[in-house]
Amino acid sequence: MLGRFTARRIAAPDLMPAAEPAPQAEPPPDPAAVVPGPLDPQLVAIRDALAPHRRRLWWRRIVRRAVVVAAGVVGAEVVLWSLARLAPLELAPAIGVALPAAGLLVLLWLAVRARPSLGEAALAVDAEGDLRDRVASALELAALWPAWAGPAPVETGEAGRPSGGGDLADASIGSVARTVVDAPVGSVPRPVADTEAVEPFVRRQRADALAALRRTPTSLLAPRFGVAVPTRPLLAVLAGAVLLVPLLAVPNPQNAVIARDRAIRQEAERQATRIERVADDLTGKATQADDPRQRLADELRELARRLRERPAELDANLARLGALEDEVRSQIDPGNEQRAAALTSLARSLSRAATGDPAANRGGDPQKAAEDLERLDLDRLSRDEQRALAQRLAELSATASAADGAAGRALGDAAQSLANGDTSSARSALDRLAEALRNADRRVTTNRDLAAAASRLQEARRQLAAAAGRDGEGQQAAGQGQQGQGQGQGQGQGQ
């Protein structure tokens, strides 16, 4: 029997010493890829017979790689969920789902790369079927002598033998080996003189390989435990699965931390949105560049940005909310609502005095009162009417002083000028009174807007503290809110 071809040489006893170790076998090429023209029917039959073994070898390789990939995935899952019990990993569920998906992609890539060639299938069948390299040698011989890999000639010689010459007895291993000269690795061996003895040998070896291959069961290369299924990776998969059961079944204390952090982020986002709305409202009401409402709007937008970018810095965010709230409250006039009530009463009385209509300006709008004062024509009033108006203005002096100092002074000047009959000075004083009413109304409105913003900051601080489970800070903020409500009640009582 012809020995196995390795490194483009025939491994024959008379060419390779017995003590020399055989080099690692290389898979023989597929005859269909290297032989031009049609193949010998026996070669076609060998290729067809190797097809099921090739599929089973591929399946064996896939199973082996699947076990190794599964061991890696299970090990990664064990590490992931162990770390998830030591630190809050909010992305752990997503990573846990992504690991098997990534493992499947890796397995698919490995499976495509592991598809065996025809020569690899032949080597596997020879090794596990104890065929002594019959199948691989048949493929290698077809590649070495492609001229004899085609169909056998039908012509016969004088003795009725194939035209190729002698029988197998004349083609000893030594004679066949001598038909090939040594060549560097990677080059094609060159046949020499006595080639007539090789062709019948090659064809009979091919027939012998086909017969041996047909006797080999197709389940030879089916996956088996210990062969296709590696023991250590399989044990690693089982051990990892055992460890994963308690890691996934026992409640994780970090889940509460993750839930709290998620609630804080969500609440920070909600409060940032609400604070931005307050800032937009303040910007719309600001009438001047140095308006305190505009400055506060800028600070609120910066605070909202901080809440979105750093929601995890709870203590710093609560401190910033509290500091800004205190800063805003320090700008609020404590007696604003009392001044507002006095201003409303003064505006109502001034409109009625200026128009003579006892039902004028029921709402006590300072802007309406200022317009009524500006439309008042003092020159059309008689001297008695001027004295009567001066007396009514003098009666409102205390209310005007309570509402606004400038308004009180302007009203006193107007009353005195009217009493003296000086309409020109009275007109000037009434104009100053109208402007003082408008300024006082703007200050009241500004204070109310600042108070509303402070309440919004207080509510945001309370909500953030509650999301983090800090009830003490939430109750403290609520207590401060009750103190702030006293101003609103004062406003209602004044009106």
Side-chain angles (χ1 to χ4, degrees):
M1 175 58 63
L2 185 64
R4 176 76 184 97
F5 286 82
T6 305
R8 297 297 185 184
R9 297 184 60 187
I10 300 178
D14 57 346
L15 296 180
M16 182 177 292
E20 183 180 350
Q24 185 178 3
E26 297 180 359
D30 185 356
V34 297
V35 176
L39 293 177
D40 185 354
Q42 290 181 337
L43 276 178
V44 176
I46 290 175
R47 294 181 77 256
D48 293 341
L50 281 175
H53 295 287
R54 187 182 181 187
R55 288 193 297 269
R56 283 169 173 78
L57 178 59
W58 192 14
W59 176 240
R60 172 188 289 188
R61 291 181 175 182
I62 292 175
V63 171
R64 178 185 293 272
R65 286 157 177 76
V67 174
V68 174
V69 171
V73 171
V74 172
E77 292 281 0
V78 171
V79 173
L80 171 65
W81 293 109
S82 299
L83 293 177
R85 289 184 169 272
L86 300 177
L89 300 179
E90 190 170 355
L91 294 179
I95 297 175
V97 173
L99 285 176
L104 288 176
L105 293 177
V106 172
L107 178 59
L108 178 61
W109 178 72
L110 293 176
V112 172
R113 289 177 55 88
R115 188 173 187 268
S117 64
L118 193 69
E120 290 174 334
L123 288 176
V125 171
D126 284 339
E128 297 197 21
D130 195 21
L131 301 186
R132 299 187 178 184
D133 296 335
R134 284 180 171 87
V135 181
S137 295
L139 299 181
E140 186 77 17
L141 287 170
L144 286 175
W145 287 284
W148 302 331
V154 297
E155 296 84 357
T156 58
E158 295 178 357
R161 295 174 180 175
S163 59
D167 56 11
L168 186 60
D170 298 329
S172 64
I173 294 177
S175 64
V176 173
R178 283 191 295 273
T179 63
V180 181
V181 296
D182 292 340
V185 175
S187 64
V188 178
R190 177 171 54 87
V192 292
D194 52 346
T195 58
E196 293 182 354
V198 180
E199 181 178 2
F201 177 83
V202 171
R203 294 189 183 279
R204 292 195 181 190
Q205 190 277 339
R206 189 178 299 157
D208 178 66
L210 177 59
L213 184 58
R214 284 174 173 172
R215 291 192 301 268
T216 303
T218 57
S219 61
L220 176 67
L221 300 182
R224 298 190 303 275
F225 182 78
V227 179
V229 182
T231 304
R232 290 184 178 179
L234 181 60
L235 293 178
V237 172
L238 296 177
V242 172
L243 292 176
L244 276 177
V245 171
L247 288 175
L248 297 177
V250 178
N252 188 355
Q254 298 295 337
N255 290 340
V257 179
I258 294 175
R260 185 200 64 185
D261 293 343
R262 184 183 298 114
I264 291 175
R265 287 197 304 272
Q266 294 174 351
E267 188 61 37
E269 177 63 28
R270 284 195 293 268
Q271 297 305 324
T273 301
R274 294 174 181 175
I275 288 175
E276 282 184 342
R277 292 174 182 171
V278 174
D280 293 340
D281 182 64
L282 290 176
T283 299
K285 293 179 178 179
T287 57
Q288 299 176 355
D290 59 345
D291 195 310
R293 290 173 292 189
Q294 183 59 53
R295 293 195 299 269
L296 177 58
D298 296 337
E299 294 182 359
L300 289 177
R301 291 190 180 93
E302 177 63 22
L303 177 60
R305 185 188 63 81
R306 178 186 176 87
L307 288 176
R308 285 197 173 95
E309 293 179 355
R310 304 176 184 178
E313 299 179 3
L314 179 64
D315 293 335
N317 291 334
L318 290 176
R320 180 55 184 154
L321 282 168
L324 185 56
E325 178 189 350
D326 293 340
E327 179 183 349
V328 173
R329 291 192 184 279
S330 66
Q331 303 176 28
I332 300 175
D333 182 3
N336 183 68
E337 295 307 321
Q338 288 79 6
R339 293 182 183 278
L343 183 62
T344 300
S345 177
L346 175 64
R348 184 186 302 113
S349 300
L350 287 176
S351 291
R352 294 174 180 179
T355 61
D357 183 5
N361 199 0
R362 293 181 180 272
D365 183 9
Q367 300 294 334
K368 180 66 170 57
E371 294 174 358
D372 291 338
L373 291 176
E374 291 173 345
R375 287 195 298 265
L376 177 60
D377 188 359
L378 297 179
D379 294 332
R380 297 180 59 182
L381 298 179
S382 64
R383 186 72 183 108
D384 293 337
E385 290 175 338
Q386 291 178 0
R387 292 193 186 95
L389 178 58
Q391 183 177 0
R392 296 189 61 181
L393 293 177
E395 294 173 354
L396 297 176
S397 178
T399 304
S401 298
D404 182 71
R409 290 190 295 272
L411 185 142
D413 293 343
Q416 184 176 4
S417 296
L418 285 174
N420 296 332
D422 188 357
T423 57
S424 176
S425 299
R427 178 70 272 166
S428 177
L430 289 177
D431 290 341
R432 286 189 285 112
L433 176 58
E435 185 63 24
L437 290 177
R438 291 190 176 96
N439 292 336
D441 183 52
R442 282 194 292 268
R443 284 192 293 273
V444 168
T445 302
T446 298
N447 275 270
R448 286 176 174 174
D449 292 339
L450 295 177
S455 299
R456 179 63 264 171
L457 291 171
Q458 182 184 63
E459 179 65 15
R461 183 159 57 93
R462 187 186 69 81
Q463 294 291 346
L464 277 179
R470 300 183 181 183
D471 296 335
E473 295 187 24
Q475 292 176 358
Q476 179 181 3
Q480 294 177 356
Q482 292 177 357
Q483 295 177 1
Q485 291 176 359
Q487 296 180 350
Q489 294 175 357
Q491 176 188 359
Q493 292 175 358
Q495 295 178 353

